[in-house]
Amino acid sequence: MINGKRLIDMGYKPGPWFPAAIAAAQNEHGRGGDEAAIRAAIDRLSPAPIITRALRAAGELPFNLNIIPEDEDEVANAAAVEAHMRELMRLPTVVAGSVMPDAMPAGSQPGTIPVGGVIATENAIHPGMHSSDICCSMAVTFFGAHVNAASLLDAGMELSHFGGGGRPRGEQFRPSDEIMAAFDANPFLRPLSSIAIEHFATQGDGNHFFYVGRSERTGEIALVTHHGSRGPGAKLYKAGMQVAERQTREASPDTPRHNAWIAADSQEGLDYWDALQTIRAWTKSSHFKIHDLVAEAVGAWVDEVGRFWNEHNFVFKRGGLFYHGKGATPAWSDFAEDASGLTLIPLNMAEPILIARGLDNPKALGFAPHGAGRNFSRTQYLKRHEGKTPAEMMAEQTPGLDIRFFSGIPDASELPLAYKNAATVRRQIEEFGLAEIVDEIMPIGSIMAGDWQQDAPWRKKR
């Protein structure tokens, strides 16, 4: 009798193909086939053996550093970034890596891609390298020179949405029919249609912002928003990691779970890539929905020609490779069909947002920084300023600016001194030839989520 136990005894590994193989083997046995004929019938249905891929030796594959530490904090920060990158370069899928001037560690597990890290891979999409905040991005709309900046900030407090969760029922906005149809057509996104509506035109928390400033070159008032794909992106990331962990478990047992990958040419890889493109379209539309709501509220004329956006925390295809930019922005002109050739690089709420034209530097794998980054954690920053109230810190660090917090509670960990020195980051962008600064949006005011969790039960308990 030929059954599953017999196939296992013959050296085959159980799987979904077993029932068909057993039937074929029994059929061959019934026809009087010998052992060789029976094995041949099984082999026709047996999946190809999995060839496992080992990690490279440490230091075997180098990476480029586009960062020069200039004080003790930066030395420690850069050393941690380099340690993570050395582990990342051991992955069997990786072919190149680079680090931006705004780099900082983004986790404690060895080999966690740092903010400001760029990794190029062959036939592999690593969800952990774009993180849960997929397609975190910047978007700008210019409103002409005579719009009242305070009115834009007032409208932002009323019409944007920061903090946890999405908009309440009755206050939600539906993405376009085209985007919703793309959600329904993709197996990763189909279960997320409801949250795609709930979280549309929301900004979340952390370092996301609604910034109003004036173009130094033209004098136009500009609105810049910073946010990612919110709930839909976070849930796509979680589903992608589950697929990646399952695929990588057999393909490369030594690869850490957080660096698992999806084979890009597998059906799941193709579906995941399509899901990323839909999430990208959703996020872009989410930004400009907020901009349009604000423009309508203040009766402002919108310069559609000057409006553009750019993403980080994403995966890009180029030359047959997959480029993972964690807190890094593509700096080549045609990285996407809607690329404008310009990107936005914020530094902190008291500094200009740089408008840059990428220089496609090969040592940076064609990327530029996404912002200023940090040299130490939020907790470390707050400890260094113990004894000062958030109001005192704001007065010192943001004089003359209209800084608002959506929750009504300031978040001191987002103030300018929590970030890297803006002048240093800007100088290194130029020194390493990463981008050309073509304009600056000078700060007038901004809105951030604020400490909306101050009264959370877990904080009260602690």
Side-chain angles (χ1 to χ4, degrees):
M1 178 181 179
I2 298 177
N3 54 23
K5 183 178 183 305
R6 173 78 183 279
L7 264 61
I8 293 171
D9 291 342
M10 292 171 69
Y12 293 101
K13 187 175 180 180
W17 65 282
F18 250 37
I22 291 170
Q26 288 176 338
N27 182 57
E28 187 62 42
H29 181 265
R31 293 169 52 190
D34 58 13
E35 183 78 8
I38 291 172
R39 186 174 286 275
I42 296 170
D43 288 342
R44 283 193 289 272
L45 295 169
S46 173
I50 296 173
I51 301 173
T52 59
R53 304 173 68 181
L55 297 176
R56 290 188 182 88
E60 179 181 332
L61 185 63
F63 57 93
N64 293 317
L65 281 169
N66 300 284
I67 182 172
I68 302 173
E70 297 186 2
D71 59 34
E72 290 184 7
D73 289 325
E74 291 184 357
V75 168
N77 181 72
V81 166
E82 288 186 57
H84 282 297
M85 288 295 292
R86 282 194 294 271
E87 286 299 310
L88 272 171
M89 302 309 290
R90 298 183 64 196
L91 298 177
T93 58
V94 173
V95 297
S98 190
V99 172
M100 303 295 108
D102 60 336
M104 57 178 278
S108 59
Q109 294 175 299
T112 299
I113 188 170
V115 172
V118 181
I119 294 291
T121 64
E122 190 170 27
N123 192 36
I125 302 172
H126 292 255
M129 293 188 192
H130 60 54
S131 78
S132 61
D133 194 11
I134 302 175
C135 204
C136 194
S137 42
M138 309 288 302
V140 62
T141 293
F142 293 95
F143 291 102
H146 304 296
V147 172
N148 183 276
S151 69
L152 290 178
L153 290 162
D154 291 342
M157 290 293 289
E158 179 70 24
L159 298 170
S160 189
H161 184 285
F162 287 87
R167 292 177 181 265
R169 288 189 179 276
E171 299 178 19
Q172 295 172 359
F173 300 98
R174 184 180 178 87
S176 70
D177 290 344
E178 181 180 3
I179 289 174
M180 294 308 300
F183 267 78
D184 290 340
N186 185 279
F188 282 101
L189 299 179
R190 195 171 297 124
L192 308 182
S193 293
S194 178
I195 198 170
I197 297 171
E198 180 185 345
H199 282 224
F200 188 64
T202 68
Q203 296 197 244
D205 57 5
N207 63 354
H208 300 147
F209 58 72
F210 179 110
Y211 173 109
V212 176
R214 186 182 295 274
S215 164
E216 186 178 48
R217 185 175 62 85
T218 69
E220 287 187 285
I221 295 293
L223 165 61
V224 181
T225 50
H226 174 213
H227 70 78
S229 52
R230 307 286 287 115
K235 290 185 177 295
L236 174 61
Y237 161 77
K238 183 177 180 180
M241 283 301 299
Q242 290 173 344
V243 171
E245 289 170 11
R246 173 169 48 77
Q247 286 196 7
T248 308
R249 195 177 301 129
E250 291 186 338
S252 183
D254 294 337
T255 293
R257 289 177 61 187
H258 60 279
N259 282 328
W261 72 85
I262 303 173
D265 61 359
S266 68
Q267 186 58 54
E268 288 169 312
L270 296 172
D271 289 338
Y272 193 74
W273 176 258
D274 285 343
L276 288 175
Q277 308 320 302
T278 298
I279 284 291
R280 181 183 188 273
W282 182 96
T283 307
K284 178 181 180 181
S285 184
S286 177
H287 276 286
F288 289 124
K289 180 62 178 180
I290 295 170
H291 293 214
D292 289 342
L293 289 169
V294 169
E296 183 179 358
V298 301
W301 169 79
V302 173
D303 181 356
E304 293 283 355
V305 176
R307 169 182 276 190
F308 65 90
W309 86 304
N310 57 273
E311 66 269 46
H312 47 272
N313 291 9
F314 204 62
V315 188
F316 309 87
K317 277 185 183 178
R318 192 183 195 193
L321 299 178
F322 292 84
Y323 288 78
H324 301 70
K326 169 63 176 172
T329 299
W332 67 92
S333 60
D334 58 348
F335 71 85
E337 289 184 359
D338 59 354
S340 67
L342 299 175
T343 59
L344 298 157
I345 304 177
L347 299 170
N348 64 60
M349 64 174 66
E351 292 286 340
I353 291 177
L354 308 178
I355 299 180
R357 179 174 288 109
L359 296 178
D360 196 9
N361 189 325
K363 290 185 178 180
L365 303 185
F367 281 72
H370 83 307
R374 299 172 185 261
N375 280 323
F376 32 77
S377 70
R378 297 168 188 267
T379 301
Q380 288 175 307
Y381 164 74
L382 292 174
K383 282 184 177 179
R384 295 185 181 200
H385 294 268
E386 282 182 337
K388 293 183 179 180
T389 66
E392 290 171 335
M393 294 165 69
M394 285 179 62
E396 292 175 357
Q397 298 180 41
T398 62
L401 299 178
D402 187 351
I403 306 301
R404 310 185 190 189
F405 293 95
F406 193 79
S407 65
I409 305 170
D411 179 0
S413 71
E414 286 298 334
L415 293 176
L417 292 182
Y419 287 87
K420 291 190 178 189
N421 181 276
T424 298
V425 174
R426 178 170 182 162
R427 185 171 62 252
Q428 293 190 14
I429 289 172
E430 296 172 349
E431 287 178 357
F432 286 104
L434 306 180
E436 173 193 6
I437 310 305
V438 299
D439 194 7
E440 301 178 41
I441 301 173
M442 309 305 291
I444 295 173
S446 65
I447 303 169
M448 301 188 81
D451 193 356
W452 61 279
Q453 292 180 309
Q454 178 174 280
D455 296 324
W458 62 268
R459 279 197 177 176
K460 287 186 176 180
K461 184 177 180 181
R462 185 175 67 181

